[in-house]
Amino acid sequence: MNLNKQLFLFTFCSTISIGLYAQQRDTIARESMEMKQLEEVIVTGESKVMSLSKKLFAVGVVEQKDIAKVAGNNLADILNYNLNITITPDASTGRSTVNMFGLDGQYVKILLDGIPIASDNGVGNNIDITQINLEDVERIEIVEGSMGVLYGDNAVAGVINIVTKRGLEGDYAWQVQVSVQEETIGNEFSLFDEGRHIQNFKISNQVSDKLSYSLGASRNDYAGFYNGFLGKDYVNIEDNAVVNDGLRGTEWNPKEQLTFFGNINANIGKHNIFYKLQYFDEAVTVYDRNVTGRLDTSTGLVKPTALDEIFETDRWVNNLNVSGPLKGQTNYNLFFSFQDQKRYYQQYVYNILQQGIESFIADDLSQSSEIWYSKGFVSNIVPKSAFFNAQLGYEFTRQSGFDAIATGDYSNDVVENTLENYDFFGVFDLNVTDKLSFYPGARFTNNSQFGNQFIWSISSTYDFTETFKLKAVLGSAFRAPNFEELFFYFVDANHNVQGNPDLQPEDGISVFLNLENKYQIGESGIFKSAFKSYYFDIQDKIASVVTADENDRSLFTFANVDYSKILGFSWENSIKLDRWQLGLGATYMGEATAVNESADSNSDYLWSFNLQSNLGYSIPRLNTILSAQLKYTGRTQVLVPGANGPVVGQTNDFTWMDASIKTDITKDLGVTLGARNIFDIVTVNASDVPTGAHGSSTGSARLFGNGRSYFLKLSYNLNFN
């Protein structure tokens, strides 16, 4: 560790120690009131008029102030602090996806203001959460339990909803927000070629109490993680010949993200209209580690070149929400969305000595989706009844496009496909007693590819006291095959990878229990404890398989061949007392899996243990908040295909810790500094990393982090009339 790092760590730790020692422990009743009020704001992204969901699900809320104190720029920066969520990064693609209650991103629905987000891999599921910018976000809602009736297929483990900020607080008409963030990637940093560089700008105008709008932009430049590799311009030449030592490029590929947005929020009488326009652009560069060294005929010197690649994603989002009273206390919500998602692929010859592109080998549109979406529902249909209430609605999705890498002689075989869903759903509120309620629900869905399906659920709540409550959710573990699994096409002289249009949905049972209690500590302190248990039994699970095509070549495709059972228990606790905030939770989860319906499949549960804790301390006199988060991810074991049948693979345990200081120097200028991945996690030993299709061998390690990193963020907020 060099001197600069030592000084940084010493200063950082000393500041925390001095701050904790110097401040007196006084009572902040206002903060406790804020927490109480926050726990009642359970709107699941569809507006506060959605009354039925308040009792249905366990909901966690991450506020903008929570995002700010850890300098979170995208969703991946934030979600890892949740006990039952694990972020799975992919160094080769730059993607990071969510794993919730042991289920991967295919089983978690991610919404933007209640509308599913389009991505490279589908609508709402398996989203690359590094692509979701948080600079325009008011809060993040994490809803746990099977929600297929309200949110359609694939909402098995839960829903994550990003809620856009609307309007300005206070009496100001204008607000200008500017921030700059510099971050090391491990020990790598320079102003342009290394590290992470983020700039944000947003301007908001409260025209009147009925009308507001905002415009903004964000840039996130991640220069990649070298980790011993030597970059794009490295080549080893000996005796006028290229020596391929495998050191060219980077461990994690560099990428640059640009986000532009505009929002309009208008109140017309009792009705609200909200429109969001967003454009997202991402470019991921992949450097070829193999260098070609042909001789230049004019000079006789070696001319080193490499075949590099760029994957570019462009996304346009147009979301419209209209809500208000339909009649009396009966409310309506309408959602309309058009999203256009495209992924481009370029392969080019890069001249290393001249540091420029010689020619393009491929320049193709490899994936395209146009998504039309609409949803509407009427809630609180029987407002005068103390026993019965109902919510009825519809949902429509139309996705057209293709998912392919259009290269080689088979490019013309790539055709556009269309996938449509027509859904109708209803949830009913049966208040048996003042303490006991049931909420049966059902959704009928018609899909253009696999016909009619039925999704059901029944939820129940029992209030032992005003603070001691039980929630239970039993429902379908319904997951529909996504666009890639149905229609992916990548066929040329060396590849034969195709989707399977005959896939059927997965189904099964999902059970979620949440028992929680709150305790008052003194005048302002609150202790909250929640015990959760969950069980998923998923049948006909979709997996990648190897079979033969009509020409007896190996065909890599998908089939309904696996099943999985997950059983878990978690205990979460939080204390807010005076200036202190403390959280501690643990989860114990087991999974039993069958691969390819093998007789040798493992019927026993493979268990893992995770631990999460966080600590916060506020210093009002200095306008400063100190925070730290620690997460222990225990050894995980899964059943994976092996050469002679299924085998147990595992990923070793590791511990992740972040810490930060956020302080307001003036009422307009704020500074946040801290460290991520303090224990310097990069690679974790693993024997469950697939290196090919279903039935192939596995790798020996997983890349989880970029090493210990430090960040500094300067924020300037100017409010005026």
Side-chain angles (χ1 to χ4, degrees):
M1 181 180 292
N2 61 33
L3 180 60
N4 289 336
K5 288 185 187 176
Q6 291 176 344
L7 288 174
F8 184 94
L9 276 177
F10 177 80
T11 304
F12 181 79
C13 297
S14 298
T15 304
I16 293 180
S17 301
I18 294 171
L20 293 176
Y21 178 80
Q23 301 307 310
Q24 299 176 356
R25 300 173 59 184
D26 61 340
T27 300
I28 307 176
R30 178 180 58 84
E31 292 185 0
S32 298
M33 284 300 297
E34 287 177 352
M35 188 179 79
K36 293 178 183 178
Q37 293 168 358
L38 175 61
E39 292 169 347
E40 298 303 320
V41 181
I42 301 174
V43 297
T44 62
E46 295 182 332
S47 93
K48 296 178 181 179
V49 300
M50 187 175 178
S51 58
L52 290 177
S53 294
K54 286 189 175 182
K55 294 182 179 180
L56 282 175
F57 306 104
V59 182
V61 179
V62 181
E63 289 188 285
Q64 176 57 44
K65 65 180 182 180
D66 300 317
I67 299 171
K69 70 183 181 183
V70 296
N73 174 260
N74 60 57
L75 198 56
D77 294 333
I78 297 299
L79 287 186
N80 197 47
Y81 300 138
N82 187 284
L83 173 64
N84 291 305
I85 291 179
T86 302
I87 306 303
T88 305
D90 187 324
S92 61
T93 64
R95 302 182 78 249
S96 291
T97 53
V98 169
N99 183 296
M100 188 173 183
F101 295 114
L103 294 171
D104 65 30
Q106 298 281 18
Y107 303 87
V108 182
K109 205 134 193 179
I110 298 183
L111 314 173
L112 178 61
D113 297 311
I115 296 174
I117 297 174
S119 77
D120 295 354
N121 297 87
V123 184
N125 296 93
N126 211 29
I127 304 296
D128 178 5
I129 58 175
T130 69
Q131 295 183 348
I132 301 176
N133 186 272
L134 300 182
E135 295 303 323
D136 191 35
V137 171
E138 179 179 299
R139 64 183 182 275
I140 302 167
E141 301 164 350
I142 304 171
V143 191
E144 300 172 342
S146 177
M147 302 187 67
V149 169
L150 287 175
Y151 293 98
D153 49 20
N154 309 345
V156 178
V159 167
I160 298 171
N161 183 53
I162 297 97
V163 181
T164 301
K165 185 176 181 180
R166 308 182 185 188
L168 292 178
E169 299 176 355
D171 298 327
Y172 296 105
W174 291 90
Q175 182 181 72
V176 177
Q177 297 174 291
V178 181
S179 67
V180 177
Q181 183 171 332
E182 295 296 320
E183 188 165 338
T184 72
I185 302 300
N187 60 0
E188 304 165 4
F189 181 80
S190 68
L191 286 179
F192 300 102
D193 297 329
E194 295 179 344
R196 186 182 183 197
H197 316 282
I198 302 172
Q199 303 89 39
N200 302 293
F201 172 80
K202 179 183 176 182
I203 182 169
S204 304
N205 180 209
Q206 189 74 42
V207 180
S208 67
D209 59 349
K210 302 290 187 181
L211 178 65
S212 64
Y213 66 88
S214 62
L215 300 169
S218 178
R219 175 178 178 265
N220 183 352
D221 181 18
Y222 173 81
F225 181 38
Y226 288 78
N227 195 30
F229 291 91
L230 299 175
K232 68 176 181 178
D233 295 323
Y234 167 78
V235 62
N236 185 3
I237 300 177
E238 297 179 7
D239 298 326
N240 201 33
V242 168
V243 178
N244 274 300
D245 52 16
L247 294 179
R248 182 177 183 265
T250 56
E251 179 84 90
W252 294 66
N253 296 318
K255 62 181 176 181
E256 183 180 31
Q257 297 175 333
L258 299 173
T259 305
F260 302 91
F261 60 85
N263 309 318
I264 298 177
N265 187 58
N267 294 307
I268 303 176
K270 296 181 179 180
H271 304 270
N272 177 259
I273 300 174
F274 179 73
Y275 171 70
K276 184 179 189 69
L277 173 66
Q278 185 183 82
Y279 171 72
F280 173 81
D281 176 85
E282 177 188 78
V284 179
T285 305
V286 181
Y287 300 123
D288 188 2
R289 291 176 184 166
N290 183 63
V291 179
T292 301
R294 296 185 177 90
L295 293 179
D296 190 324
T297 56
S298 62
T299 65
L301 299 176
V302 68
K303 184 175 70 172
T305 60
L307 289 178
D308 293 342
E309 299 170 304
I310 296 178
F311 295 86
E312 183 175 4
T313 298
D314 285 342
R315 181 186 306 127
W316 284 96
V317 176
N318 295 269
N319 288 350
L320 175 67
N321 171 227
V322 183
S323 62
L326 187 65
K327 183 180 180 181
Q329 298 179 35
T330 302
N331 305 297
Y332 74 90
N333 263 271
L334 293 173
F335 300 84
F336 304 95
S337 177
F338 172 71
Q339 301 181 56
D340 181 70
Q341 159 90 27
K342 286 182 169 57
R343 185 176 67 234
Y344 298 91
Y345 171 74
Q346 292 181 329
Q347 186 182 50
Y348 57 90
V349 178
Y350 183 77
N351 189 312
I352 297 176
L353 295 183
Q354 294 182 1
Q355 299 182 9
I357 297 175
E358 283 193 355
S359 61
F360 282 90
I361 305 300
D363 190 356
D364 300 310
L365 176 63
S366 64
Q367 180 266 340
S368 176
S369 295
E370 287 189 354
I371 298 165
W372 293 92
Y373 174 87
S374 179
K375 181 177 181 178
F377 62 87
V378 177
S379 60
N380 203 19
I381 294 177
V382 192
K384 295 183 180 180
S385 173
F387 170 73
F388 176 79
N389 211 330
Q391 173 181 305
L392 300 174
Y394 77 89
E395 190 169 20
F396 165 76
T397 306
R398 184 181 191 273
Q399 180 179 2
S400 60
F402 60 86
D403 197 333
I405 299 178
T407 60
D409 298 334
Y410 293 85
S411 298
N412 293 331
D413 290 344
V414 177
V415 296
E416 183 173 292
N417 293 279
T418 300
L419 196 62
E420 292 184 344
N421 258 68
Y422 300 87
D423 295 11
F424 298 93
F425 62 90
V427 179
F428 304 95
D429 186 345
L430 305 176
N431 296 308
V432 180
T433 68
D434 291 341
K435 295 180 178 291
L436 178 64
S437 298
F438 290 95
Y439 310 93
R443 174 182 286 245
F444 173 81
T445 178
N446 175 267
N447 183 277
S448 59
Q449 196 65 27
F450 43 80
N452 298 329
Q453 302 289 330
F454 182 74
I455 303 174
W456 62 273
S457 71
I458 180 167
S459 303
S460 180
T461 62
Y462 187 82
D463 297 342
F464 297 95
T465 66
E466 290 185 0
T467 59
F468 187 29
K469 300 181 179 182
L470 172 68
K471 295 183 177 73
V473 183
L474 171 66
S476 300
F478 183 91
R479 182 178 90 79
N482 61 37
F483 205 80
E484 177 187 16
E485 292 166 336
L486 291 167
F487 303 124
F488 183 85
Y489 189 91
F490 181 16
V491 179
D492 61 14
N494 301 311
H495 304 86
N496 189 11
V497 186
Q498 302 181 42
N500 180 3
D502 296 323
L503 284 173
Q504 294 300 306
E506 302 175 1
D507 208 348
I509 298 294
S510 168
V511 182
F512 184 86
L513 299 174
N514 183 80
L515 181 66
E516 68 174 45
N517 202 356
K518 301 174 188 175
Y519 305 89
Q520 190 78 26
I521 304 176
E523 295 182 358
S524 61
I526 293 178
F527 171 59
K528 180 180 177 181
S529 183
F531 175 79
K532 300 177 182 179
S533 179
Y534 47 93
Y535 174 75
F536 304 98
D537 184 351
I538 300 173
Q539 304 293 324
D540 298 321
K541 194 170 183 180
I542 299 169
S544 55
V545 298
V546 183
T547 183
D549 65 6
E550 63 275 9
N551 299 319
D552 203 31
R553 295 197 311 162
S554 293
L555 170 63
F556 297 84
T557 185
F558 301 91
N560 299 90
V561 294
D562 292 358
Y563 78 77
S564 179
K565 295 181 180 180
I566 295 175
L567 175 64
F569 310 90
S570 65
W571 188 25
E572 300 178 33
N573 303 276
S574 64
I575 297 175
K576 193 163 187 178
L577 180 64
D578 297 336
R579 299 181 180 182
W580 292 93
Q581 297 180 50
L582 174 65
L584 180 63
T587 186
Y588 189 59
M589 185 191 73
E591 180 175 4
T593 305
V595 177
N596 285 352
E597 300 177 338
S598 169
D600 298 327
S601 296
N602 182 28
S603 59
D604 296 328
Y605 285 95
L606 301 173
W607 295 93
S608 62
F609 175 77
N610 292 346
L611 184 69
Q612 175 93 26
S613 65
N614 60 80
L615 178 66
Y617 184 76
S618 61
I619 310 173
R621 187 169 61 85
L622 299 179
N623 297 315
T624 298
I625 298 175
L626 312 177
S627 61
Q629 301 81 27
L630 183 143
K631 187 171 187 178
Y632 169 77
T633 301
R635 181 195 66 176
T636 58
Q637 293 181 307
V638 296
L639 202 66
V640 295
N644 299 313
V647 296
V648 175
Q650 75 173 38
T651 298
N652 288 359
D653 63 330
F654 64 95
T655 302
W656 190 284
M657 182 177 179
D658 297 345
S660 62
I661 304 173
K662 182 180 183 300
T663 184
D664 294 330
I665 298 175
T666 70
K667 67 181 183 65
D668 298 324
L669 180 63
V671 177
T672 308
L673 72 156
R676 307 190 200 276
N677 190 8
I678 291 174
F679 297 133
D680 203 20
I681 301 299
V682 177
T683 301
V684 177
N685 292 335
S687 60
D688 60 349
V689 184
T691 59
H694 213 56
S696 64
S697 61
T698 58
S700 59
R702 287 182 184 270
L703 286 166
F704 272 99
N706 295 162
R708 185 186 300 113
S709 302
Y710 307 100
F711 64 85
L712 172 66
K713 181 176 182 179
L714 300 176
S715 304
Y716 183 73
N717 297 338
L718 177 62
N719 297 282
F720 59 95
N721 291 311

